[in-house]
Amino acid sequence: MSSILLLRLTSVTWGLLSLLLAFMLFTGLSMLGFPDGYISPYDTATRQLQEVLAWLVVAQGAYFLLIGVVAKCLRPAGLLLQILVTGTLVFVPINVVESCPRWDSCTSAYQAITGNFMDDGTGG
């Protein structure tokens, strides 16, 4: 297999995985409040950020699909650096928003910034 074909395949695969993640993020957003209809204050406060991050994942997926199909020359270091940077800039905030209620430091920061207690809907 030639190196350019491998780079194209890597780019297309990353693009497809990004679009799959975006689908999962949008599905999660559409399921807020399911099954009882309660949407927690934390979900309400972070919903717009989650939507923006999901659209960024869509843009990332489209970009890498386009590069994998159209680009004339791909350099391994350049492609891997782009994947690393875009992955970090998108996936780190997604993980922080999803796991923030489980971190004491994040809960304290949320309460200090908003003046409200962290209510992410978990509990009895």
Side-chain angles (χ1 to χ4, degrees), residues 22 28-29 118:
L29 283 170
M118 172 79 72

Side-chain angles (χ1 to χ4, degrees), residues 23-44:
F23 174 75
M24 292 169 44
L25 291 171
F26 281 120
T27 301
L29 283 170
S30 72
M31 299 291 285
L32 285 179
F34 181 80
D36 62 357
Y38 175 72
I39 298 177
S40 72
Y42 180 74
D43 287 334
T44 302

